[in-house]
Amino acid sequence: MEYIIRKIAQKDKAEVISMMTKFYESPCVATNGSSEIFNADLEACISDNPYLEGYVFESENDILGYAMLAKSFSTEYGKPCIWVEDLYIKEAFRGLGIGSRFFGFIEEKYKHTIFRLEVEEENTRAINVYKKAGYDFMPYKEMKK
């Protein structure tokens, strides 16, 4: 299947929010999100926000999925850090290598960068994709407030 990876644009907003809603309602994410959060995330992706960027996977004007990346710096590794915050591919397009290609895309774009992501333990399909892309589990748990 031929498709492109491009930045999220204003015209994608409704479809990306629909995918975000499905993603955050699934057991793949520990929180449910909200329309307020989804809109804020998309506005950050579409604007010139230096901390968040978003991408869609598009084939013949059909959006197959989306991803969002948050940028930071890792003092633990002494280099920039990209957090893969969201990676969602519509059910009909899973298993076609879109996730693996996206990892290659960001690794080429952000060389000399540490990449991190979170995954729910029961999301074995995603874990397999991440392991295939070279990701491994960290030996500690994260905390939040």
Side-chain angles (χ1 to χ4, degrees):
M1 164 181 277
E2 293 293 319
Y3 64 93
I4 61 168
I5 298 172
R6 66 165 174 81
K7 287 209 171 189
I8 292 175
Q10 188 70 35
K11 68 179 183 172
D12 306 318
K13 193 171 182 176
E15 185 143 9
V16 172
I17 286 178
S18 174
M19 290 185 289
M20 290 177 82
T21 302
K22 288 178 184 167
F23 182 49
Y24 279 82
E25 288 176 347
S26 77
C28 298
V29 182
T31 61
N32 291 333
S34 69
S35 61
E36 181 180 340
I37 291 170
F38 300 157
N39 279 301
D41 291 348
L42 277 168
E43 287 307 315
C45 288
I46 294 167
S47 73
D48 60 355
N49 185 306
Y51 302 109
L52 187 67
E53 59 187 49
Y55 295 91
V56 291
F57 317 120
E58 183 180 56
S59 176
E60 298 177 13
N61 297 321
D62 288 329
I63 295 178
L64 315 176
Y66 80 97
M68 290 186 185
L69 306 176
K71 301 174 186 179
S72 66
F73 189 90
S74 172
T75 59
E76 183 177 2
Y77 294 98
K79 56 179 142 180
C81 178
I82 298 289
W83 278 91
V84 181
E85 290 286 342
D86 290 16
L87 177 56
Y88 177 82
I89 299 164
K90 291 178 180 176
E91 183 73 38
F93 304 106
R94 294 179 189 163
L96 300 176
I98 295 170
S100 296
R101 181 171 164 206
F102 181 69
F103 286 121
F105 170 82
I106 62 174
E107 288 168 17
E108 180 65 27
K109 182 174 181 173
Y110 293 105
K111 295 179 179 176
H112 312 294
T113 300
I114 185 84
F115 296 94
R116 296 179 75 167
L117 54 80
E118 296 173 349
V119 63
E120 292 293 317
E121 288 182 53
E122 58 273 355
N123 194 353
T124 56
R125 191 172 189 176
I127 289 170
N128 290 332
V129 171
Y130 304 153
K131 284 184 173 183
K132 183 178 175 185
Y135 288 73
D136 201 0
F137 285 103
M138 305 284 290
Y140 51 82
K141 294 188 179 266
E142 290 194 26
M143 298 174 73
K144 71 166 183 72
K145 179 179 178 187

